[in-house]
Amino acid sequence: MYMRTTALQYLYLQKPVSSMLLVALLSVLPWIAAGDFATKGEPREAAVAVSMLESGNWMLPRVYADEFAYKPPMTHWLMALFSLPQGHVSPFTARLPSALAYAALLAVSLLFFGRKVRFQEAFIATLLLFTCVEIHRAGMTARVDMLLTFFTVAGLIRLFRWEEEGELKGLPLLIPLLLSGAFLTKGPVGLVLPVFVFGVYLLLLRKYRLFKIAKSLFYIGVASLFLPSLWYIEAWRMGGEDFLNVALAENFGRFLHLNPGNIHYELGHENGAWYNLVTLAAGFLPWTLLLFISLFGLKISRPGVPLKEWPARLWRRIGTMDRITLFCLTASVCIVFFYSLPSSKRSVYLMPAYPFIALFIARYLLYLAEYRSRVTRLYAGVLASLVAVAALVVAVQMTGLADVRSLAGQYVAGAFASATLDAVARSFSPGISMILTGTLLLVSLATVVYQMRKKINIKILYATFFLVFSTHLFIDGVVMINVRRAGSARPFATEIRQAYGLDHTNVYVMNDLHTYHNMYGLNFYLGNRFRNFATEQPQTGFFLVAEKDLPAVEQRYGEVYDFRRLRVSDGMTGDVRGRIVLSRFTRK
């Protein structure tokens, strides 16, 4: 009997990968162009692409007061290539590599899991990636981490298929290309980490001799080193000892808990091993809340074997795992373990583990939907209640029934945090974006309520995914645009460039992160024209510095230079979390 299906059912059943690609792109592309740079990381990376286009140096371009990029150039090459048609780098073209890598990661994850496990498991695992905070945020940011994650995950998937289908014979060209891409995005970790994960997986398979495994890993390493070595050799030739110092500090100093004194900044991000577990829990929000709720009422029985027999039992269990489960478990554990070793830890480092962890979470969510239905309904109710309260707060602020900003301001400390809260409050005004995303949010909220009344647990679960997706759209399309605008240095840059005739010859800054804050956002919006005050010691010119750093500069150089304040930025920029001062200086 012929049965009609809706368009959504057709896309879900017949075109899942292309549908995921389309929805992922539509969910990020409209917003990556709508917000200015308001952090220090994004404009720092974007300025490298600016320098590439302006100088024609695509190997080791100079940025921010004559320093060179900290990282290999793959992301910056893509930023510059996407910017070529319009002739300049914009927030859209700078964030586009991450947005495309985000969509591609979802597509390859769904394609890979869809062929190895039940499609519903694969689909939910991909939806977890699509809606979790860490991956979504990275997909909209002009940083290297999303591109690195795509290359690493895609490379691991190809390595898995090489063993499964080719039994380590005839290394496919795509593997070294993907790992070379990862290497050229973040450095040696892009090669070392996938090789480490794959090597452990081969050992756990207990299928190959140690010599065979070592030979395969050696071939992978050699083939994947060729393209990156061309860039490193040329960069070393151009940058000399300065480049070598930064490369060694970034790639080995962080990992070996060293902080060499021959670079002008602290390696930073030092945290204990516990930090990775905390950031994983935060990164998988809001689904971590469901996992937490499921712990209540969980029946824990005493193990049937003594503690001393656990290792042997675990080893036997590993030997009976199907390959996809073993591979995902190996990748998850090895990546988290690998990034527990260096002193420098950040949440984005763990993103290559997210697709593999997501598969296990997806299986658990399906178990909850089938066998512990109350948990699924309780989580949906809690999430819907939180969104409903937030929507009510927005409505109250919009209608003027109460000043929510003033009430919340009592619990906010610090001038920058207060300015951010003001920006959030100003976001809630009628507009096309507010109407569209707000309507979708209300529809998703109503969908959750409707499905809870029907009590079909799997549909309740999918409805919560829809609600989280709509919430992300509302935040991106309404709140974050205004927050970025409030923390942007673009208005101040436009004003002082026009009023004082700033150019590439007369604008000076300090570039010593041990002591001062770098104004990466202002540098980008002024066209990457900063010069190094400390090294050049000029006679006269314009000097820019964070207001909080000006006393230290005057104390250090006050006997040699006169500084006359010309302008202080009206708002606080996000990269220095404060105001910026423009001064005119002359040598005494």
Side-chain angles (χ1 to χ4, degrees), residues 164-196:
E164 182 185 47
E165 299 171 2
E167 296 187 331
L168 307 182
K169 298 175 183 176
L171 181 65
L173 179 61
L174 187 57
I175 290 176
L177 286 178
L178 289 169
L179 299 188
S180 295
F183 203 130
L184 283 169
T185 301
K186 195 67 181 283
V189 69
L191 173 59
V192 173
L193 179 58
V195 169
F196 169 62

Side-chain angles (χ1 to χ4, degrees), residues 237-392:
R237 185 189 68 81
M238 297 176 66
E241 186 177 350
D242 289 340
F243 168 76
L244 187 61
N245 289 337
V246 171
L248 291 175
E250 285 287 330
N251 296 297
F252 298 101
R254 290 187 187 276
F255 200 86
L256 299 176
H257 299 234
L258 301 175
N259 200 354
N262 52 5
I263 57 174
H264 70 280
Y265 61 95
E266 301 287 343
L267 292 177
H269 311 304
E270 294 189 5
N271 291 284
W274 57 267
Y275 180 82
N276 284 341
L277 300 179
V278 173
T279 55
L280 269 177
F284 269 108
L285 284 172
W287 304 107
T288 313
L289 178 60
L290 174 55
L291 302 182
F292 177 74
I293 291 175
S294 71
L295 297 179
F296 293 94
L298 187 66
K299 297 180 180 179
I300 302 176
S301 57
R302 295 182 59 183
V305 296
L307 183 63
K308 63 180 181 180
E309 296 182 15
W310 283 16
R313 187 180 183 185
L314 177 61
W315 184 245
R316 289 194 299 270
R317 182 74 177 271
I318 290 174
T320 60
M321 282 184 182
D322 60 273
R323 290 195 176 194
I324 185 63
T325 302
L326 178 61
F327 182 70
C328 290
L329 179 63
T330 303
S332 302
V333 173
C334 285
I335 292 171
V336 175
F337 169 76
F338 182 87
Y339 281 116
S340 297
L341 299 178
S343 58
S344 178
K345 297 178 179 65
R346 294 183 66 220
S347 61
V348 292
Y349 294 169
L350 300 177
M351 289 200 308
Y354 274 61
F356 307 106
I357 296 174
L359 180 63
F360 294 106
I361 298 178
R363 289 176 172 176
Y364 186 60
L365 296 190
L366 286 171
Y367 161 78
L368 293 177
E370 185 172 356
Y371 297 106
R372 299 183 63 197
S373 57
R374 291 183 180 179
V375 173
T376 305
R377 291 198 293 272
L378 177 60
Y379 172 70
V382 170
L383 190 63
S385 299
L386 292 174
V387 173
V389 170
L392 181 61

Side-chain angles (χ1 to χ4, degrees), residues 386-568:
L386 292 174
V387 173
V389 170
L392 181 61
V393 170
V394 171
V396 167
Q397 180 69 31
M398 286 180 62
T399 56
L401 295 176
D403 188 356
V404 180
R405 157 64 188 99
S406 299
L407 296 174
Q410 303 175 29
Y411 306 97
V412 173
F416 183 76
S418 180
T420 302
L421 184 59
D422 286 336
V424 173
R426 290 194 302 270
S427 302
F428 305 139
S429 58
I432 294 177
S433 181
M434 167 68 83
I435 294 172
L436 293 178
T437 59
T439 301
L440 185 65
L441 185 62
L442 293 177
V443 169
S444 65
L445 190 59
T447 302
V448 171
V449 174
Y450 174 77
Q451 293 298 339
M452 288 181 66
R453 293 183 62 185
K454 291 290 186 179
K455 297 183 180 180
I456 303 177
N457 292 317
I458 191 62
K459 290 187 176 182
I460 294 175
L461 182 60
Y462 281 126
T464 57
F465 277 113
F466 181 33
L467 180 59
V468 175
F469 166 70
S470 302
T471 303
H472 280 315
L473 282 185
F474 183 83
I475 293 173
D476 295 335
V478 176
V479 179
M480 290 308 301
I481 290 176
N482 213 48
V483 170
R484 291 191 182 111
R485 186 181 297 118
S488 171
R490 179 174 55 84
F492 186 58
T494 302
E495 176 192 342
I496 61 177
R497 182 173 58 243
Q498 296 174 351
Y500 300 100
L502 306 186
D503 57 38
H504 288 80
T505 66
N506 60 8
V507 185
Y508 294 87
V509 296
M510 303 302 296
N511 188 19
D512 181 2
L513 286 171
H514 291 295
T515 308
Y516 309 102
H517 296 79
N518 279 3
M519 300 161 289
Y520 290 109
L522 189 61
N523 176 60
F524 174 82
Y525 286 112
L526 282 175
N528 192 38
R529 61 185 62 186
F530 288 171
R531 303 176 71 91
N532 195 318
F533 181 85
T535 58
E536 295 190 29
Q537 295 286 296
Q539 294 295 321
T540 185
F542 296 98
F543 185 75
L544 284 160
V545 67
E547 187 176 35
K548 65 184 76 174
D549 295 334
L550 186 57
V553 173
E554 292 176 333
Q555 181 180 4
R556 182 174 180 181
Y557 294 99
E559 296 181 359
V560 183
Y561 288 93
D562 284 322
F563 293 92
R564 180 169 60 90
R565 294 192 185 193
L566 300 176
R567 186 75 173 88
V568 181

Side-chain angles (χ1 to χ4, degrees), residues 121-244:
E121 290 180 1
F123 191 64
I124 291 178
T126 309
L127 288 180
L128 285 166
L129 290 180
F130 182 44
T131 54
C132 74
V133 168
E134 191 69 70
I135 300 296
H136 176 78
R137 181 185 61 163
M140 301 184 66
T141 308
R143 301 293 295 270
V144 304
D145 305 289
M146 193 70 250
L147 191 64
L148 173 68
T149 298
F150 166 72
F151 280 129
T152 303
V153 172
L156 284 170
I157 289 172
R158 291 305 306 176
L159 287 169
F160 175 86
R161 294 185 62 184
W162 177 44
E163 187 286 320
E164 182 185 47
E165 299 171 2
E167 296 187 331
L168 307 182
K169 298 175 183 176
L171 181 65
L173 179 61
L174 187 57
I175 290 176
L177 286 178
L178 289 169
L179 299 188
S180 295
F183 203 130
L184 283 169
T185 301
K186 195 67 181 283
V189 69
L191 173 59
V192 173
L193 179 58
V195 169
F196 169 62
V197 171
F198 189 58
V200 174
Y201 170 68
L202 293 179
L203 289 173
L204 293 177
L205 274 181
R206 301 178 237 179
K207 179 180 178 181
Y208 303 98
R209 293 183 177 179
L210 190 60
F211 176 75
K212 175 70 172 177
I213 295 174
K215 184 174 71 170
S216 299
L217 298 181
F218 176 76
Y219 287 158
I220 294 169
V222 171
S224 303
L225 275 173
F226 177 71
L227 291 178
S229 65
L230 297 178
W231 176 78
Y232 272 93
I233 292 171
E234 179 63 14
W236 188 8
R237 185 189 68 81
M238 297 176 66
E241 186 177 350
D242 289 340
F243 168 76
L244 187 61

